[in-house]
Structure formats: structure tokens, C-alpha cells
């Protein structure tokens, strides 16, 4: 058994997932590549979105990849940290908004 | 201030040690392919020169800065400086070469005591594009250099300057404390002489290279970011930004190994290998001459002491036809010039 469930060197092997399912693997990478091209949003903006989402889904591979991608695109550390906060705010907001459900239930059950 | 590898007696100051690393490890054990095998796949091995266009002369390794990534291992403690005698040999070549561009580099080329004389004599030779690679801070380093912007203008020198980022923190981290502010002041002085202005014939280009173990992003996008930030923050203008990949040699190699980024960086370079960039790599249209007159395929091979594979190896025997009929010497550092959109002293190539 591996010492850890996550090994940073495994990120280099990501492309190998096509070896066990070529057609849909390739479709995924084609889609992935297309998504991050310049479009209505710039590649820079998409990189920051990806960084924020990487934190929200807590994917260490994605965090490594999009920190490096941001550096390559000249994104500053301040911009990166603000993106992480934007993701964290949505995630904590998603928890807190359930407080309304708790309040609704509390009120319904209470005299 | 940091010191050069040479003055620190670092083992990487010995070029054979660098080549041992580049040829060994993950390449020797087959994890990554040798550069030779990659270009062989597209019929480009051995790599051959095309028409000579650029004559790059390194007039010395002395520099007022000690940048962390420097592939020259330049610094104030480096005493290798081109003499006037060697410059005279270079002038003979400049007068007779088929190349259209003369590219002076260093260290800080301006620190060579014969720099001004050499520029004046080379300018008389009437070469079409005359480049000086200036680190900018030299212009503000000492009173004796304050006239450089006027001097460059007088000889219509094309100035190419290093500027790793438009923020103070990233620039100073790579190039030393205070470098950003001095560079901004120098750029403003060049702008005041007309350098870098939109319709100006006085060309001012900037060189961006990453401040760490990652590859440069899209050159055009970076140029747009630099132009916007430098204009808004400091009213500075320039013509083009050249995004250059850091090659894993000298101080950058030392940094990669010390920070445990070497293997990941080499993987990044190999993954980003772009066969379309191979035919445009600078060693196919450039030759590099060292301070002591030896001839190399490029400035990087010069720093690895890989002299041209030709019976003419020194400018005292210079013969352009013989030199152009050679195989270019390659190693794994060459992946740096074929990654992504490619990289050369003139930026991307593909």
C-alpha cells in the first residue's frame, strides 16, 4: 500500500487515464483544453476561477497545477489569495445559508 | 549580495558537473527522453544551422547585479572581460559578416571599459540592427553610466532590457533589493529620449523570464499585462516583451536543485516540448562569441563551455562558411528553447 493517498508525482501521470478508457479519456482532455482557451473570459480569469474551485473541491493536484498556471500567467500572489477567499466565502456561505433551514425547522417545531 | 557560483566554489561552477546532471538522472534511467531522440523523431538530428542572421558577442561576465536565475553566473566578482585586442578581431568579423544583427550581451556589457569604443566602431560598420542587452540598473549604478541613454540614442542602439515583473516584490526577489526602482527610473529616462515610444525608431524591448521553477505563459498576454501596468503605474512605454524560458544551467540549475524543483522542472520542459519550435531555435541563425574569442552555438552553450563542432573554434581563424557547415551541439538544456511557443533571445519562436 502507498504511504499516502496523494503523491504529487501522480499529477504527471494524469494523461495516462486514457490508457484504460481511450475514447472518453480523450474526450475529457479535449473538452478540458477547450474550456481553458481564451473566450468570453480570458485565460487569466479562467485560471483564477480554476484556482478557487481547486480549493473548494480540496484537490491538491489541482491546487499545485493552478498555482503554477497562475505564476506562468503573471498572476500575483495577492490575486491568487483573493480568488481562494472568493471560493472559501461561497463554500462557507453554502453552509451558513442552511441556517435558514434550521431556523425554519426550529420555528415549525416550537410553540 | 549573493555571489557567483564561481566565487562560492560551488560544484556547478565546473561546467562538466552541470552536463553530468543534465545527461544523467531521469534522462539516463529512461524516465525522460534525451533531446537528441526527440528531435530525431522529426528528422532534425543532427541539428544544422540555417543562414547566419545574428552575431551575439558576450563582452564579459562582470555585472553590477547577481540575479538568482543568471545563466551566465555573472556578478561583480567575475573578471572575465573582452580586451580591445579581441574586439578588434570582432570588428573584422562585423565588417564582413552576412549577419544583419549584432547583439551585445554580458554580464552588464556597459561595464567593459572599452564598451563605448566598441559600440562606436561597430556602429560605423553599419549593421542593420544593433542590440545592447542592458540590465537597466547599470544606467543608474554610477555617475559614469548616466549618459548611457544619450549614448544609445546617438548610435541608434536597439535596447533590450530585463524586467521580470511589473511589481516590485517579484523583480527584487529575482534580481536583488532596489532593482525594481532603479529599473523604473532607467526606463523613464529611456522613454524621455524617445525610446519605446509608439512611433519612435528607437527600439526598447523588455525581456520577461519567470521568477521561479515554472515556464513563461503566453507572450502576448504577458506583454499586454506589462504594458497596462507600467503605463498606469509609472507612465512607461516599450515596444515588445520577449518571454524567455529559464534554461536549467548555472545559477538557475543550482536554484532548481536546492529548491528540489529540478525533476519537476525538467518534466515541465519535456511535456511542453513543441516540435514546431525546433526549426526556429536561435542556434540555427545565431553564433555566440565569448569574451576570449571562442565561438559557440548559443550563449547557453557558451556557459556550458560547449564550443562549436567545427574546425574553426576561435575568431582568430574566423570563416563564416566553415562555421555554418557544422552540427549544433545539444543537450537536455535545449528543451528550454523548444518548450511551448519556444524561447530565444528574441522571445518566442513558434
Amino acid at each position: 500500500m502507498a504511504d499516502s493517498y496523494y503523491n504529487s508525482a501522480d499529477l504527471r501521470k494524469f494523461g495516462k487515464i486514457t490508457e484504460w478508457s481511450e475514447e472518453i479519456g480523450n474526450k475529457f482532455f479535449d473538452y478540458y483544453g477547450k474550456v481553458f482557451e481564451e473566450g468570453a473570459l480570458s485565460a487569466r480569469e479562467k485560471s483564477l476561477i480554476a484556482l478557487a474551485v481547486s480549493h473548494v473541491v480540496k484537490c491538491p493536484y489541482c491546487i499545485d497545477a493552478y498555482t503554477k498556471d497562475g505564476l506562468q500567467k503573471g498572476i500575483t500572489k495577492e490575486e491568487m489569495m483573493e480568488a481562494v477567499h472568493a471560493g472559501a466565502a461561497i463554500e462557507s456561505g453554502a453552509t451558513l445559508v442552511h441556517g435558514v433551514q434550521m431556523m425554519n425547522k426550529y420555528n415549525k417545531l416550537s410553540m | 549580495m549573493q555571489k557567483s557560483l564561481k566565487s562560492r566554489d560551488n560544484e556547478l561552477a565546473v561546467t562538466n558537473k552541470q552536463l553530468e546532471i543534465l545527461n544523467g538522472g531521469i534522462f539516463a534511467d529512461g524516465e525522460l527522453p534525451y533531446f537528441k531522440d526527440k528531435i530525431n523523431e522529426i528528422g532534425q538530428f543532427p541539428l544544422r544551422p540555417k543562414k547566419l542572421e545574428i552575431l551575439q558577442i558576450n563582452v564579459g561576465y562582470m555585472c553590477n547585479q547577481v540575479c538568482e536565475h543568471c545563466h551566465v553566473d555573472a556578478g561583480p566578482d567575475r573578471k572575465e572581460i573582452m580586451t580591445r585586442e579581441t574586439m578588434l578581431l570582432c570588428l573584422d568579423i562585423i565588417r564582413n559578416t552576412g549577419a544583419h544583427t549584432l547583439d551585445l550581451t554580458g554580464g552588464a556589457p556597459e561595464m567593459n571599459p572599452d564598451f563605448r569604443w566598441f559600440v562606436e566602431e561597430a556602429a560605423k560598420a553599419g549593421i542593420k540592427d544593433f542590440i545592447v542587452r542592458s540590465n537597466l540598473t547599470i544606467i543608474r549604478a554610477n555617475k559614469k553610466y548616466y549618459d548611457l541613454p544619450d549614448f544609445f540614442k546617438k548610435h541608434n542602439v536597439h535596447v533590450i532590457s530585463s524586467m521580470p515583473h511589473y511589481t516590485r516584490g517579484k523583480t527584487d526577489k529575482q534580481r536583488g533589493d532596489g532593482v525594481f526602482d532603479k529599473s523604473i527610473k532607467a526606463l523613464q529616462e529611456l522613454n524621455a529620449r524617445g525610446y519605446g515610444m509608439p512611433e519612435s525608431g528607437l527600439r526598447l524591448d523588455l525581456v520577461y523570464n519567470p521568477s521561479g521553477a515554472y515556464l513563461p505563459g503566453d507572450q502576448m498576454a504577458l506583454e499586454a499585462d506589462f504594458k497596462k501596468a507600467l503605463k498606469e503605474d509609472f507612465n512607461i512605454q516599450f515596444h515588445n516583451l520577449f518571454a524567455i524560458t529559464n534554461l536549467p544551467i548555472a545559477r538557475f540549475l543550482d536554484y532548481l536543485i536546492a529548491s528540489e524543483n529540478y525533476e519537476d522542472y525538467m518534466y515541465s520542459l519535456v511535456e511542453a516540448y513543441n516540435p514546431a519550435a525546433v526549426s526556429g531555435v536561435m542556434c540555427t541563425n545565431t553564433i555566440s562569441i565569448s569574451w576570449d574569442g571562442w565561438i559557440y552555438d548559443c550563449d547557453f552553450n557558451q556557459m556550458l563551455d560547449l564550443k562549436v563542432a567545427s574546425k574553426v573554434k576561435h575568431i582568430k581563424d574566423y570563416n563564416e562558411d566553415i562555421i555554418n557547415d557544422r552540427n549544433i551541439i545539444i543537450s537536455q538544456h535545449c528543451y528550454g528553447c523548444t518548450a511551448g511557443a519556444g524561447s530565444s533571445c528574441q522571445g518566442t519562436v513558434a
Side-chain angles (χ1 to χ4, degrees), chain A residues 29-45:
Chain A
F29 283 115
D30 288 346
Y31 163 76
Y32 193 98
K34 194 75 192 162
V35 163
F36 284 98
E37 285 177 4
E38 292 274 338
L41 293 177
S42 68
R44 194 179 199 280
E45 288 165 333

Side-chain angles (χ1 to χ4, degrees), chain B residues 2 65-70 162-165 168-177 179 207-212 214 244 246 251-252:
Chain B
Q2 195 185 341
Q65 293 180 188
V66 192
C67 303
E68 273 195 61
H69 69 295
C70 184
S162 303
M163 193 74 189
H165 206 257
R168 183 176 286 104
K170 289 195 106 170
T171 297
D172 285 359
K173 180 81 178 63
Q174 181 190 93
R175 300 177 77 78
D177 287 342
V179 165
V207 167
Y208 160 85
N209 53 293
S211 309
Y214 53 93
I244 297 186
N246 288 312
R251 286 214 286 273
F252 189 65

